[in-house]
């Protein structure tokens, strides 16, 4: 937003030159309300005290050509920290209405246009809203040319064409004054329309729509790589070769006019927007010599033979046809001790896996039926060659070699009928012919003596399975006791290694060594790795999409839709108030709504906007002035400031569209009573709510079709669903044994079905205190600059010979 005279916290030294000039003309007049009177008034405030010497220096300015005592006085006040609100207060004391009017006559740009990348054929709306003392008029420019008929605060390009790409700016006129908005770039991507692609919004979650292509070249050829992503504001790009960032390769198109042998390697592009990062596919660029060569003394090969040979060799490195990860963190247990670390762990792991180009679904606090349905959706994304990763943090146990994940609604004590068996999920993953199956289980592995079932899960013999257990068999896992944002012990060390380009088992070995040096848990928690992996497969392997079926493509599109944020919106009330509403995702099932009043009539003294009547999801904490007050410490540094915030968790329970009411309450200077307006807003089913995970587990559920003895679906003990538990109003039950946490660390994700022992110790490990709750992780906000905008702005300003820029 431009710095204008309506920003009361603005230092007066940063007022616009045109405003200062008008103000000084008023104060330089020799009367009882001139600059001397201002100096006397300021002198009563110790913060900006003006000495006699200062006043004498100001008076001498009248001897200079175009000298201004008022300007010198204002500069002294600004150097001592005087703000616009302070100056207005002094002028009110003086009763200088003319000077006050000078400060209120500027143009205030309330909404700036934002750069955007969009697919050709979509619609683009650039907005510039401003306020002034009189009627405000608008004129849009593309570069230095006026856009015909663009006299509205909204410039709509629908449908946007390739020739519409470029830089746009809006001129705001108010009487004889005018101001310019920020520059906004429109990048139009030429993408062949496909099912689901045309429904992608221009803002919301970052989406890659153009992938670079692998190429086989010879020395002297030109290399041309292109990557495209839709997003608002405009995404930023950084190209990498063999994991190393390339200098001056920050555009979405990367070219080398003359390639040499040293340019051969693996290329991919990092894309960022709103502090969110993702990666393009990694592609192999092969470069061969122009001369023919021989494999043996008698066989000569041409360039085409060499390139074909190179393409075959390029496939020797393992690759995935896709990468999919399901991350579940259970903390808010109804009948068992609450946990802290899973939220931070899931959040950190989500950000890291997205950097490795995984499709990530991150979910918190799921009931049994919700967990089963989430796993079913996860399995639907798997097909031949896909890397599948399942991470679970919460209570758990292990019986007879089988691991069980405990939902938040599990009874006390729980049994296998109430939990999800990890090995049953692995069996179903094997049926998808996945390329790699990784399980990271951040839970306890103590025996559950209430569960007498001996499972017999018949797994296939495949050389692509990796288990990373946070602790050894029949042992507990721990989370550190701290008032800040703290990971569990496993993720504390895993997140420092996860991006390494190493075989997954080698990476986990290094994590195990790191954990082994951690004094607070030494001898009590050790990472255990089980693997049948025979190839050098790593989480950094490139993605080379295979010939997946139409069903797989449909599931991928559904996954994309389930991670779309609602588009930000502007609400216009009849009273003249305008409200901006935006949305941010903390997890796949946690939504942040923020509202801000961007325009109100002058005759309105105060106004506030609140959200009420949220369907199905009426949170206890809403309409707060900071994200932290809603419990959203994770996004507190990335959300827009000066808004009201509401945090909606458990979106998977949303059965209908999310509908709520925006209630506007206002007071007018001419009225004693408060006036109220309302608007109903329907944002559909945001994020994971589109998948209807709240539904009862279906009869043809993937976990119920797993034909094995003692499966959860065939167990004689019925599994109490979330709705039945709520109807029965089961009270909170403590486990029969006491659970005193250690001073430094606590048993994490323990099997607490009425068994097990609590560890005690005298270790003392101090973490730096944090003001944030341990339930919060950190992240995301737009950066509006590009390398090109400054050059375009200079050219544009130089071309405006007719205008006297302030």
């Amino acid at each position: 937003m431009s710095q204008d005279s309506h920003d009361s916290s603005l230092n007066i030294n940063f007022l616009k030159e045109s405003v200062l000039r008008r103000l000084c003309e008023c104060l330089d007049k020799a009367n009882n309300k001139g600059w001397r009177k201002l100096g006397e008034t300021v002198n009563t405030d110790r913060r900006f005290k003006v000495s006699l010497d200062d006043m004498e220096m100001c008076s001498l300015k009248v001897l200079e050509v175009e000298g201004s005592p008022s300007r010198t006085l204002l500069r002294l006040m600004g150097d001592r920290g005087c703000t616009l609100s302070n100056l207005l207060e002094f002028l009110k004391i003086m009763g200088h209405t003319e000077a006050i009017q000078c400060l209120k006559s500027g143009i205030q740009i309330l909404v700036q246009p934002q750069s955007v990348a969009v697919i050709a054929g979509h619609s683009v709306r650039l907005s510039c809203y401003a306020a002034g003392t009189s009627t405000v008029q608008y004129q849009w420019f593309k570069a230095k040319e006026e856009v015909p008929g663009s006299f509205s605060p909204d410039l709509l390009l629908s449908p946007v064409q390739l020739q519409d790409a470029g830089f746009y700016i809006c001129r705001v006129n108010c009487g004889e004054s005018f101001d310019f908005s920020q520059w906004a770039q429109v990048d139009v991507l030429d993408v062949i329309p496909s099912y689901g692609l045309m429904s992608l919004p221009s803002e919301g979650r970052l989406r890659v729509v153009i992938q670079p292509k692998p190429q086989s070249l010879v020395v002297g050829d030109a290399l041309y790589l292109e990557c495209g992503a839709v997003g608002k504001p405009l995404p930023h790009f950084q190209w990498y070769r063999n994991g190393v960032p390339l200098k001056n390769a920050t555009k979405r198109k990367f070219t080398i006019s003359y390639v040499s042998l040293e340019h051969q390697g693996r290329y991919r592009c990092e894309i960022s927007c709103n502090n969110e990062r993702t990666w393009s596919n990694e592609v192999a660029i092969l470069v061969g010599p122009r001369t023919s060569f021989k494999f043996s003394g008698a066989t000569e090969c041409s360039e085409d033979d060499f390139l074909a040979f190179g393409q075959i060799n390029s496939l020797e490195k393992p690759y995935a046809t896709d990468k999919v990860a399901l991350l579940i963190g259970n903390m808010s247990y109804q009948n068992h001790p609450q946990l802290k670390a899973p939220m931070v762990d899931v959040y950190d792991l989500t950000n890291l896996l997205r950097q490795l180009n995984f499709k990530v679904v991150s979910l918190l606090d799921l009931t049994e039926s919700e967990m089963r349905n989430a796993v079913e959706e996860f399995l639907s994304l798997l097909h031949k060659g896909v890397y599948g990763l399942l991470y679970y943090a919460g209570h758990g146990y292990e019986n007879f070699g089988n691991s069980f994940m405990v939902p938040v609604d599990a009874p006390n004590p729980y049994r296998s009928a109430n939990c999800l068996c990890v090995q049953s999920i692995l069996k179903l993953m094997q049926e998808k012919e996945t390329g790699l199956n990784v399980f990271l289980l951040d839970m306890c592995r103590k025996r559950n003596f209430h569960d007498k079932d001996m499972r017999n899960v018949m797994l296939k013999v495949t050389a692509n399975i990796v288990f990373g257990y946070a602790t050894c068999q029949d042992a507990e896992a721990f989370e550190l006791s701290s008032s800040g944002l703290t990971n569990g012990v496993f993720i504390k060390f895993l997140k420092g290694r996860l991006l390494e380009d190493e075989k997954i088992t080698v990476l986990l070995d290094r994590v195990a060594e790191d954990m082994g040096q951690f004094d607070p848990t030494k001898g009590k928690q050790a990472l255990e790795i089980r693997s049948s992996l025979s190839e050098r497969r790593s989480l950094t392997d490139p993605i080379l999409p295979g010939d997946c079926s139409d069903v797989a493509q449909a599931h991928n599109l559904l996954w994309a839709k389930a991670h779309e944020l609602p588009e930000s919106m502007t609400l216009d009330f009849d009273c003249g108030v305008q409200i901006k509403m935006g949305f941010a995702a903390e997890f796949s099932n946690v939504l942040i709504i923020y509202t801000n009043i961007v325009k109100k009539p002058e005759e309105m003294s105060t106004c506030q906007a609140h959200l009420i009547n949220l369907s199905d999801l009426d949170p206890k904490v809403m309409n707060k002035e900071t994200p932290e007050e809603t419990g959203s410490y994770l996004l507190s540094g990335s959300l827009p400031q000066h808004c009201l915030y509401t945090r909606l968790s458990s979106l998977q329970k949303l059965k209908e569209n999310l509908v709520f009411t925006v209630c506007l309450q206002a007071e007018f200077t001419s009225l004693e009573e408060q006036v109220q307006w309302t608007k109903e807003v329907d944002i559909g089913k945001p994020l994971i709510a589109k998948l209807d995970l709240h539904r009862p587990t279906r009869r043809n559920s993937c976990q119920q079709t797993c034909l094995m003895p003692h499966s959860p679906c065939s167990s004689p003990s019925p599994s109490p669903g979330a709705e039945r538990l709520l109807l029965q109003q089961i009270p909170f039950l403590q486990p029969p044994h006491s659970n005193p946490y250690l001073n430094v660390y606590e048993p994490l994700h323990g099997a607490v079905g009425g068994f097990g022992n609590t560890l005690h110790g005298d270790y003392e490990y101090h973490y730096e205190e944090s003001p944030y709750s341990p339930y919060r992780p950190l992240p995301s906000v737009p950066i509006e600059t590009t390398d090109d905008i400054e050059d375009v702005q200079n050219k544009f300003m130089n071309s405006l010979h007719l205008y006297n820029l302030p």
Side-chain angles (χ1 to χ4, degrees):
M1 181 173 293
S2 63
Q3 291 180 327
D4 50 65
S5 57
H6 288 257
D7 184 357
S8 61
S9 63
L10 185 70
N11 186 292
I12 60 175
N13 281 343
F14 296 101
L15 289 171
K16 290 183 178 180
E17 184 63 31
S18 57
V19 175
L20 285 171
R21 185 170 57 251
R22 290 193 299 269
L23 179 61
C24 291
E25 288 174 358
C26 292
L27 294 174
D28 282 340
K29 296 176 182 178
N31 56 34
N32 59 353
K33 294 182 181 180
W35 67 271
R36 289 187 182 275
K37 183 64 176 179
L38 176 60
E40 294 173 5
T41 307
V42 172
N43 216 25
T44 61
D45 193 316
R46 294 182 179 180
R47 294 173 297 172
F48 319 116
K49 198 170 183 65
V50 180
S51 67
L52 292 176
D53 291 340
D54 292 334
M55 294 296 289
E56 183 67 22
M57 181 179 64
C58 294
S59 65
L60 292 175
K61 291 296 179 181
V62 297
L63 302 176
E64 300 178 7
V65 179
E66 298 184 358
S68 171
S70 302
R71 186 61 177 272
T72 305
L73 177 60
L74 292 171
R75 188 176 295 112
L76 286 172
M77 294 166 57
D79 292 342
R80 292 164 190 176
C82 182
T83 65
L84 178 58
S85 61
N86 302 137
L87 179 58
L88 285 170
E89 187 64 31
F90 295 141
L91 293 174
K92 288 178 182 177
I93 294 173
M94 294 168 56
H96 203 320
T97 55
E98 184 182 357
I100 293 174
Q101 188 61 35
C102 289
L103 291 173
K104 291 187 175 181
S105 62
I107 297 172
Q108 183 183 18
I109 297 183
L110 304 171
V111 177
Q112 294 281 2
Q114 284 188 310
S115 298
V116 61
V118 65
I119 298 172
H122 283 206
S123 297
V124 171
R125 184 186 300 272
L126 300 179
S127 299
C128 175
Y129 287 84
T133 54
S134 59
T135 303
V136 175
Q137 296 177 329
Y138 302 88
Q139 174 62 61
W140 286 90
F141 291 80
K142 180 185 178 185
K144 62 181 181 180
E145 301 294 332
E146 290 187 3
V147 179
S150 58
F151 309 120
S152 166
D154 292 313
L155 176 63
L156 180 64
L157 306 175
S158 180
V160 65
Q161 306 296 326
L162 293 177
Q163 57 267 28
D164 292 325
F167 294 86
Y168 292 81
I169 195 170
C170 184
R171 187 182 68 213
V172 182
N173 300 282
C174 181
E176 296 181 355
S177 302
F178 66 91
D179 198 1
F180 284 95
S181 71
Q182 297 174 355
W183 284 95
Q185 181 182 358
V186 176
D187 188 14
V188 184
L189 306 180
D190 188 11
V191 180
I192 299 174
S194 61
Y195 174 74
L197 190 59
M198 298 306 292
S199 63
L200 293 176
S202 60
E203 56 182 298
R205 184 161 297 281
L206 185 64
R207 192 88 71 247
V208 180
V209 295
I210 299 177
Q211 295 283 4
K213 304 296 184 184
Q215 298 175 41
S216 297
L217 308 171
V218 295
V219 172
D221 285 349
L223 170 63
Y224 176 83
L225 293 173
E226 181 179 4
C227 176
V230 294
K232 186 176 185 179
L234 196 70
H236 295 258
F237 301 87
Q238 174 62 61
W239 287 92
Y240 286 73
R241 182 171 68 87
N242 296 333
V244 178
L246 295 171
K247 188 177 181 181
N248 299 325
T250 57
K251 308 296 181 185
R252 68 180 187 88
K253 296 180 180 179
F254 175 70
T255 60
I256 299 176
S257 57
Y258 188 97
V259 298
S260 60
L261 293 175
E262 66 181 17
H263 293 127
Q264 179 169 294
R266 305 189 317 275
Y267 287 77
R268 65 172 177 166
C269 187
E270 178 189 35
I271 308 107
S272 59
C273 177
N274 282 340
N275 286 347
E276 179 184 0
R277 291 201 303 170
T278 189
W279 293 86
S280 72
N281 293 342
E282 188 175 61
V283 296
I285 302 300
L286 304 174
V287 181
R290 282 199 169 274
T291 58
S292 60
F293 64 96
K294 297 180 180 180
F295 281 112
S296 65
T299 306
E300 184 173 309
C301 295
S302 65
E303 288 179 4
D304 292 338
D305 295 328
F306 169 79
L307 297 179
F309 175 73
Q311 287 175 330
I312 294 172
N313 278 347
S314 68
L315 300 181
E316 290 182 357
K317 176 180 171 60
Y319 66 92
T321 56
D322 202 354
K323 298 179 184 178
V324 182
L326 172 63
L327 279 54
I328 298 176
N330 284 343
M331 303 178 300
S332 304
Y333 282 87
Q334 299 172 16
N335 306 305
H336 306 284
Q338 308 288 293
L339 302 174
K340 298 178 180 179
M343 175 181 281
V344 189
D345 292 343
V346 168
Y347 183 80
D348 287 347
L349 198 56
T350 296
N351 290 335
L352 291 169
L353 288 172
R354 281 178 177 159
Q355 294 180 45
L356 297 173
N357 213 28
F358 272 82
K359 289 185 175 76
V360 182
V361 179
S362 57
L363 300 169
L364 299 181
D365 292 331
L366 301 185
T367 64
E368 179 197 341
S369 62
E370 291 167 355
M371 285 183 71
R372 295 191 187 282
N373 290 329
V375 170
E376 182 176 350
E377 297 294 343
F378 167 65
L379 291 169
S380 71
L381 294 172
L382 304 181
H383 50 84
K384 187 173 183 179
V386 174
Y387 285 10
L389 184 148
L390 173 64
Y391 170 78
Y392 171 74
H395 288 309
Y397 69 94
E398 183 173 308
N399 273 14
F400 310 109
N402 292 308
S403 303
F404 295 89
M405 303 181 293
V406 181
V408 295
D409 63 339
N412 189 350
Y414 45 69
R415 298 176 174 83
S416 63
N418 319 120
C419 305
L420 273 72
C421 176
V422 175
Q423 282 69 26
S424 298
I425 297 172
L426 172 58
K427 176 179 174 63
L428 296 169
M429 291 174 70
Q430 288 183 320
E431 294 175 0
K432 301 284 187 175
E433 299 183 45
T434 45
L436 178 65
N437 302 307
V438 179
F439 294 86
L440 302 176
L441 302 179
D442 202 352
M443 65 185 198
C444 291
R445 299 174 67 194
K446 301 285 289 184
R447 283 284 308 279
N448 182 352
F449 295 103
H450 295 275
D451 185 7
K452 305 299 183 182
D453 286 344
M454 294 185 62
R455 295 180 152 275
N456 182 21
V457 182
M458 305 300 294
L459 297 172
K460 297 179 181 179
V461 179
T462 56
N464 62 355
I465 303 171
V466 177
F467 276 87
Y469 295 95
T471 191
C472 295
Q473 192 171 12
D474 203 29
E476 291 177 313
F478 295 86
E479 63 181 17
L480 300 165
S481 179
S482 170
S483 61
L485 296 171
T486 306
N487 292 110
V489 177
F490 180 29
I491 298 299
K492 170 182 169 63
F493 294 101
L494 177 65
K495 68 181 185 180
R497 298 279 189 184
L498 197 69
L499 298 182
E500 294 179 0
D501 186 16
E502 295 287 353
K503 184 178 178 180
I504 179 63
T505 49
V506 173
L507 184 148
L508 291 174
D509 270 330
R510 293 179 178 175
V511 175
E513 293 173 2
D514 296 339
M515 289 177 59
Q517 303 302 313
F518 189 50
D519 289 334
T521 54
K522 186 179 293 185
K524 292 180 172 60
Q525 179 176 349
L527 178 64
E528 182 175 330
I529 305 165
R530 294 184 180 180
S531 170
S532 66
L533 189 60
S534 62
E535 298 178 288
R536 189 195 177 281
R537 292 190 179 269
S538 68
L539 300 181
T540 60
D541 288 344
I543 295 177
L544 297 177
D547 297 327
C548 55
S549 65
D550 292 339
V551 174
Q553 292 182 14
H555 283 302
N556 286 336
L557 289 171
L558 181 61
W559 176 89
K561 292 291 291 181
H563 286 78
E564 286 180 1
L565 283 168
E567 292 198 48
S568 60
M569 59 184 67
T570 301
L571 302 179
D572 292 302
F573 287 80
D574 294 338
C575 60
V577 171
Q578 188 175 83
I579 295 176
K580 185 77 172 179
M581 180 175 295
F583 307 90
E586 196 169 38
F587 295 90
S588 298
N589 64 339
V590 179
L591 179 71
I592 308 296
I593 305 176
Y594 51 92
T595 58
N596 184 27
I597 298 175
V598 296
K599 181 181 178 182
K600 71 179 184 69
E602 290 186 0
E603 62 271 16
M604 189 178 289
S605 55
T606 62
C607 65
Q608 289 183 324
H610 295 84
L611 271 59
I612 58 174
N613 303 329
L614 279 93
S615 56
D616 283 353
L617 299 171
D618 207 351
K620 297 178 181 178
V621 182
M622 55 193 298
N623 299 310
K624 297 300 180 180
E625 294 185 355
T626 64
E628 290 87 349
E629 292 180 81
T630 70
S632 178
Y633 286 84
L634 307 181
L635 296 178
S636 61
S638 60
L639 294 173
Q641 297 182 349
H642 311 302
C643 299
L644 288 182
Y645 307 89
T646 296
R647 182 177 188 264
L648 300 178
S649 57
S650 300
L651 291 180
Q652 74 277 3
K653 300 184 186 300
L654 191 64
K655 297 179 180 179
E656 305 293 339
N657 284 3
L658 181 54
V659 180
F660 54 87
T661 303
V662 179
C663 178
L664 177 67
Q665 298 173 329
E667 295 181 356
F668 291 86
T669 54
S670 58
L671 296 176
E672 294 183 0
E673 297 182 355
Q674 191 178 68
V675 187
Q676 180 173 297
W677 295 265
T678 60
K679 273 187 179 292
E680 188 174 89
V681 177
D682 184 344
I683 61 172
K685 288 189 174 182
L687 301 174
I688 206 70
K690 294 183 180 70
L691 299 185
D692 294 329
L693 299 186
H694 60 80
R695 65 184 184 271
T697 307
R698 295 179 293 197
R699 292 186 178 275
N700 62 343
S701 167
C702 56
Q703 291 132 73
Q704 293 184 352
T705 57
C706 183
L707 302 177
M708 60 187 74
H710 313 297
S711 66
C713 60
S714 61
S715 172
S717 301
S719 174
E723 295 181 2
R724 199 188 322 162
L725 282 177
L726 291 174
L727 291 173
Q728 294 173 350
Q729 297 183 341
I730 296 179
F732 184 92
L733 301 176
Q734 292 290 346
H737 64 280
S738 63
N739 192 19
Y741 290 136
L742 301 180
N743 292 333
V744 184
Y745 55 93
E746 306 168 356
L748 168 69
H749 325 330
V752 288
F755 60 90
N757 298 317
T758 302
L759 296 180
H760 297 272
D762 300 321
Y763 299 99
E764 189 165 348
Y765 188 87
H766 297 284
Y767 274 85
E768 183 178 348
E769 289 291 326
S770 167
Y772 302 127
S773 163
Y775 289 84
R776 326 296 173 212
L778 296 165
S780 304
V781 123
I783 299 173
E784 280 294 316
T785 59
T786 71
D787 295 338
D788 301 312
I789 285 183
E790 185 174 354
D791 292 339
V792 173
Q793 176 172 320
N794 292 336
K795 294 178 182 177
F796 175 76
M797 291 304 180
N798 291 336
S799 68
L800 295 178
H801 301 297
L802 299 178
Y803 303 111
N804 224 348
L805 296 183

